[in-house]
Amino acid sequence: MSLTIIRNARVVSPKVPQGHSGPLRGSAMAELEITPLADVTIESGLIKKVLPVAAPGKRRPPVPTGTNIIDADGRVLLPGFVDCHTHACWAGDRYDEWDMKRRGVPYLEILKRGGGIMSTVRAVREATEEQLAELLLQRLNVMLRCGTTTVEVKSGYGLSTADELKMLRAIARAAARWPGTVRSTALLGHAIDEQQPGFVGVTVRQTLPAIAQEFLPGSGLAVDAFCEQSAWSLDQCILLLSRAKDMGYPIRVHADQFNSLGMVAAAIRLGTRTVDHLEVTTKEDIAALGESSTIGVYLPMSPLHLSTPQGKPRQLIAAGGAVAVASNFNPGSGPSPSIPLTIAMAVRHLQLSHAEAIAATTHNAAAVLDLADRGSIVPGKRADLVLMRHRDERAIAFELGEPGVDAVFVAGSMVYQQADPAAGGRAAGGQKLTDTPTVN
Ligand code: NIG
């Protein structure tokens, strides 16, 4: 049995009422549970105790030999970030297309000309499963250093039975070598491959069942589509998603990124787990979403990168809805692997409060992935934790450019520690990791 104690932490967690299941909704997102100074005990990978401390120098009873003791020295301890919408598995790059975008060619025009998502599809088809896994693993490690301990990764750059399977296998292969948790999503309806006759029918009748042979319903895999002009139409999305739902998969959909095509209302009818993007969603659709069980996932890095309008999650929160926020890390519209930077954008551009942005990237993002065992710091939850450099959680959104992460724990094990060159390689902030029992 392994025992770890993180001492003197400012423990910051979404406030999840006891016995509550599912995401936090509406005004409940705005409440944090803050313990200004506490010792957090972790046993066998789970949070065992959060014990408030009267003063930093307070004497404590002795602890068993072999206990790992980390002194947080007043720094903020958060639940590990959950990035619930990424396209982090890709090959190649699209810097030439970014130059086109910078000269004013819109994202959808590049896609219509056979570029955008389709250029990444060509690069992914040329890569091997091993190469894709290696590239993904490198990106997952960068995300870990930004405090992400759970991540959703979509396929969607294969767009044939063999290449979608290759992507999903590559994601599983990288996941097996990464300390955090990866949930994969089969984004079968990402773009239309004009070179394949009857592409949508083939996807629904051949690719989806082939995937189901290997990635069974109930294994955590979700199925997703991109409802947009030059991508999948409303009817095509409904066809794919209803078939996937009938097979037992959770379903998700990219809706209203550039054009509102009626997908949000259809998603509510279908009972999708999420609708993602929502940049141009009408007030009426937001009101209906607020009354549904579908979670709205906002992706502020993309409108920032594409210079397009940001969504309005405040309206969804006011309507009593559940909001999650994710990085959307991808080679075209999602330049950042960093949840701290995404939080900073959510606070600035989505007008979320600090508390709402933290809830949206921890507890609510975990609810998107149906992971009820994480996302808050209470006894019994999995000890996926991030020790920040900051002593005030508002600094996460204030600072831009450096993630501010000093250490990351997955199921109680420290899997990343920021080195401090000035301390001769000791951990940043002077925290000590020792197996010698200490009594203050
Ligand atoms: O969520 N919009 C559709 N899919 C991604 C972008 C993927 C890409 O451009 O490669 C998104 O923004």
Side-chain angles (χ1 to χ4, degrees):
M1 183 193 68
S2 67
L3 196 65
T4 297
I5 304 178
I6 304 175
R7 285 185 170 162
N8 301 314
R10 177 174 170 83
V11 177
V12 177
S13 169
K15 194 171 195 162
V16 185
Q18 227 181 356
H20 174 93
S21 66
L24 294 167
R25 308 179 66 89
S27 56
M29 287 184 65
E31 284 190 61
L32 288 174
E33 183 85 60
I34 298 180
T35 316
L37 201 66
D39 290 355
V40 178
T41 304
I42 299 163
E43 196 177 283
S44 304
L46 301 179
I47 296 164
K48 191 171 178 222
K49 257 191 304 196
V50 179
L51 197 69
V53 178
K58 192 180 165 289
R59 288 184 68 83
R60 294 154 166 110
V63 294
T65 309
T67 304
N68 294 319
I69 298 184
I70 293 132
D71 187 0
D73 192 24
R75 285 170 291 169
V76 168
L77 187 72
L78 290 168
F81 297 125
V82 177
D83 197 341
C84 66
H85 180 135
T86 86
H87 306 253
C89 184
W90 80 81
D93 67 63
R94 307 216 310 253
Y95 300 124
D96 292 343
E97 289 183 2
W98 187 32
D99 285 338
M100 286 165 68
K101 267 187 229 133
R102 289 174 45 249
R103 288 195 300 273
V105 186
Y107 178 90
L108 285 183
E109 178 57 31
I110 295 173
L111 179 60
K112 205 166 153 192
R113 293 182 198 172
I117 294 167
M118 288 311 296
S119 15
T120 303
V121 168
R122 287 187 286 276
V124 163
R125 285 178 182 168
E126 275 175 28
T128 64
E129 184 186 314
E130 293 74 19
Q131 287 165 337
L132 287 173
E134 196 53 49
L135 287 164
L136 172 57
L137 187 61
Q138 286 167 19
R139 293 182 195 119
L140 291 176
N141 285 334
V142 174
M143 295 167 101
L144 190 81
R145 294 203 291 273
C146 296
T148 296
T149 49
T150 300
V151 61
E152 181 258 17
V153 183
K154 298 178 196 293
S155 64
Y157 295 123
L159 301 188
S160 71
T161 303
D163 291 302
E164 283 296 311
L165 277 169
K166 179 175 74 178
M167 282 199 79
L168 291 170
R169 288 177 190 141
I171 294 167
R173 197 186 265 253
R177 290 167 61 198
W178 194 58
T181 305
V182 176
R183 280 283 204 232
S184 43
T185 295
L187 176 50
L188 303 184
H190 201 190
I192 301 287
D193 183 358
E194 306 287 358
Q195 310 300 314
Q196 291 185 56
F199 172 72
V200 170
V202 171
T203 304
V204 175
R205 284 192 301 274
Q206 291 176 19
T207 309
L208 178 60
I211 278 164
Q213 299 273 308
E214 201 170 319
F215 300 89
L216 303 179
S219 63
L221 185 85
V223 175
D224 199 345
F226 176 29
C227 184
E228 189 50 82
Q229 286 171 15
S230 307
W232 280 50
S233 71
L234 178 63
D235 287 346
Q236 291 166 339
C237 287
I238 292 173
L239 180 70
L240 172 70
L241 296 176
S242 46
R243 189 66 65 91
K245 188 185 173 191
D246 289 347
M247 291 167 77
Y249 288 108
I251 49 174
R252 304 181 58 173
V253 70
H254 294 55
D256 294 2
Q257 184 176 7
F258 305 102
N259 298 284
S260 183
L261 305 181
M263 189 65 235
V264 173
I268 296 168
R269 282 197 300 274
L270 280 169
T272 62
R273 168 114 15 108
T274 63
V275 274
D276 303 54
H277 275 291
L278 303 172
E279 280 89 343
V280 297
T281 305
T282 63
K283 275 193 178 149
E284 295 70 30
D285 279 349
I286 291 288
L289 192 58
E291 287 174 11
S292 77
S293 59
T294 298
I295 303 170
V297 180
Y298 290 82
L299 309 162
M301 298 308 301
S302 292
L304 181 86
H305 182 66
L306 301 176
S307 307
T308 49
Q310 290 280 355
K312 297 187 172 63
R314 287 247 63 82
Q315 290 178 357
L316 183 52
I317 289 172
V323 167
V325 169
S327 73
N328 195 23
F329 190 29
N330 76 67
S333 66
S336 178
S338 166
I339 288 291
L341 186 60
T342 304
I343 288 176
M345 294 307 126
V347 168
R348 281 172 177 77
H349 295 295
L350 301 179
Q351 279 84 45
L352 294 189
S353 67
H354 299 276
E356 288 165 339
I358 288 170
T361 51
T362 54
H363 176 82
N364 278 14
V368 165
L369 304 179
D370 199 22
L371 293 169
D373 62 344
R374 64 197 73 189
S376 58
I377 306 183
V378 289
K381 294 278 173 180
R382 192 178 142 98
D384 286 2
L385 299 165
V386 190
L387 181 62
M388 304 299 294
R389 167 169 50 80
H390 316 299
R391 287 174 166 74
D392 185 320
E393 51 286 357
R394 291 170 296 184
I396 303 167
F398 182 78
E399 283 197 10
L400 299 174
E402 201 272 337
V405 169
D406 271 356
V408 179
F409 301 82
V410 167
S413 297
M414 191 189 269
V415 293
Y416 167 70
Q417 190 174 23
Q418 162 103 316
D420 181 359
R426 244 185 33 185
Q431 87 238 29
K432 281 168 270 168
L433 181 62
T434 171
D435 56 7
T436 312
T438 57
V439 181
N440 288 339

